[in-house]
Amino acid sequence: VIIRTKKVRDGKSFATRSMEARQRGQTIFAAMAQFHKEESSQGLEVSSSMPQVPDPDMLISDREFMENALQNPQVPEKWKAFIQERLAQPWRIERRGIPMPGLGAEP
């Protein structure tokens, strides 16, 4: 895979870049991103601040969650069969979700 980036524009507040990934002469992915210079909001906040969350290394992966569910006697056998099928398939990514309080999945 050959990845090329190109400067599209540099302005006073914004910078724009394009990226293209090519494999065997064919474009397999293209993206364009804009970056904005930080500036004072003068008291107007348009987004919430980042909440306190656990370090990713402290969370269990979806695969680990499913493996633990197989050992849980409260999980119905029908679900366990589904989980076993899912665990037998290849996993292309690892996702580590933040458990929701009260759902019994706290670390």
Side-chain angles (χ1 to χ4, degrees):
V1 177
I2 298 170
I3 299 174
R4 293 187 178 131
T5 58
K6 183 168 64 171
K7 183 189 318 182
V8 176
R9 179 177 185 276
D10 280 337
K12 291 181 181 179
S13 296
F14 283 92
T16 306
R17 301 291 183 267
S18 69
M19 191 276 294
E20 180 181 67
R22 297 179 65 86
Q23 186 174 33
R24 297 186 186 106
Q26 298 285 335
T27 301
I28 59 171
F29 180 81
M32 188 169 288
Q34 289 190 328
F35 302 92
H36 186 267
K37 180 178 87 173
E38 190 171 328
E39 57 188 342
S40 170
S41 64
Q42 299 175 356
L44 176 64
E45 297 300 325
V46 294
S47 65
S48 303
S49 58
M50 178 71 181
Q52 292 291 339
V53 295
D55 185 332
D57 291 335
M58 301 302 292
L59 300 169
I60 64 170
S61 68
D62 287 349
R63 177 177 275 284
E64 293 169 312
F65 180 82
M66 288 183 174
E67 289 169 346
N68 292 344
L70 289 176
Q71 307 304 317
N72 186 337
Q74 295 179 329
V75 174
E77 290 302 317
K78 184 177 178 180
W79 289 9
K80 288 183 180 183
F82 169 79
I83 292 169
Q84 287 173 330
E85 286 178 25
R86 182 67 180 97
L87 288 172
Q89 298 173 5
W91 291 58
R92 304 202 190 296
I93 63 169
E94 180 183 283
R95 190 183 79 87
R96 292 174 177 254
I98 298 173
M100 295 181 66
L103 294 182
E106 289 82 11

